[in-house]
Amino acid sequence: MDFRTLPVTLFQQNCTLLWCEATRRTVVIDPGGEAPRILRLLEDLKLEPERILLTHGHLDHVGATADLVDHLGIPVWGPHLDDAFLIEALDQQCAMFGVPPLRGFEPDHWLAQGDTVTVGEATLEVLHCPGHSPGHLVYFHAAGRLAQIGDVLFQGSIGRTDLPGGNHQQLIESITERLFPLGDDVRFIPGHGPTSTFGTERRTNPFVRPAARSPL
């Protein structure tokens, strides 16, 4: 598989186009906003979108979902049902962060641990990784050693846990028990910022060292 990230909105959230190189069929992961830019990139890359995938329900990851559905007529899959309360409360999220209201939507299909998603001839494994939000998901392409992990882990940092439904201990367990066992060689695309590998973060990330696993 191949991918392109497009940082969108003031949150600089990585909307990710992840596609099967054999078929040019793609998923749009976490369209956080700026739908015209996302549509233009799809056209420039000559990709055929199959569906929208969501890692979780925070506004900076779902903001353009309704607009893309209108333009592309594709279904929305994910996140996990435990994030339904966030998607239902988009207006409250916008008020909390002082941003204009966003159009609401309802996912066509909730996803859970152990599910799979096909993209052209490729398959993504679904991992439930709560902590940043209760229903946060990760999408893993085993053959390509590539994962899109949303806001679970970043280069040198981890996802925040002070928003509704956040849980620091759950987040650390998601990282150490579900992500790191995938392999040190796995490259990951985070929800914000540059890519890294699980091996690099396991060795150097101060937030996942044993002494740093308990909040102050």
Side-chain angles (χ1 to χ4, degrees):
M1 301 195 77
D2 202 353
F3 73 93
R4 178 78 64 87
T5 57
L6 179 67
V8 294
T9 79
L10 293 176
F11 294 100
Q12 288 295 281
Q13 184 272 323
N14 287 331
C15 173
T16 302
L17 305 183
L18 185 62
W19 67 88
C20 166
E21 293 177 276
T23 64
R24 306 295 292 177
R25 297 182 70 84
T26 189
V27 287
V28 181
I29 304 179
D30 287 359
E34 300 186 72
R37 291 183 62 213
I38 299 171
L39 292 167
R40 188 160 57 249
L41 184 58
L42 285 166
E43 183 176 352
D44 290 346
L45 294 174
K46 297 180 171 54
L47 298 173
E48 183 177 353
E50 287 192 323
R51 61 182 61 86
I52 294 167
L53 296 182
L54 302 177
T55 61
H56 64 293
H58 288 154
L59 63 91
D60 57 322
H61 290 254
V62 306
T65 300
D67 289 340
L68 288 186
V69 168
D70 282 354
H71 281 87
L72 300 173
I74 55 176
V76 179
W77 284 24
H80 187 285
L81 184 60
D82 287 351
D83 264 16
F85 78 103
L86 290 171
I87 292 173
E88 292 166 359
L90 274 180
D91 286 347
Q92 292 95 312
Q93 289 194 60
C94 292
M96 180 188 304
F97 285 95
V99 300
L102 295 168
R103 294 179 57 205
F105 66 95
E106 183 175 346
D108 297 282
H109 182 60
W110 302 99
L111 292 166
Q113 173 72 23
D115 287 343
T116 59
V117 179
T118 58
V119 186
E121 298 175 0
T123 300
L124 301 177
E125 300 175 21
V126 177
L127 293 84
H128 182 208
C129 294
H132 178 66
S133 72
H136 198 298
L137 298 177
V138 162
Y139 301 100
F140 175 49
H141 183 235
R145 314 304 292 158
L146 178 69
Q148 215 291 354
I149 66 169
D151 287 359
V152 178
L153 178 69
F154 304 109
Q155 184 187 80
S157 188
I158 58 175
R160 61 188 295 183
T161 55
D162 59 336
L163 297 173
N167 184 297
H168 179 83
Q169 186 58 37
Q170 276 190 333
L171 182 69
I172 296 300
E173 290 172 357
S174 290
I175 294 168
T176 59
E177 297 177 13
R178 291 217 160 143
L179 296 188
F180 286 173
L182 297 175
D184 282 356
D185 63 317
V186 173
R187 180 170 54 152
F188 69 84
I189 308 160
H192 306 262
T195 63
S196 183
T197 66
F198 291 147
T200 298
E201 300 311 309
R202 183 181 58 78
R203 291 187 299 270
T204 67
N205 191 314
F207 295 93
V208 292
R209 292 174 182 164
R213 290 180 186 175
S214 298
L216 298 177

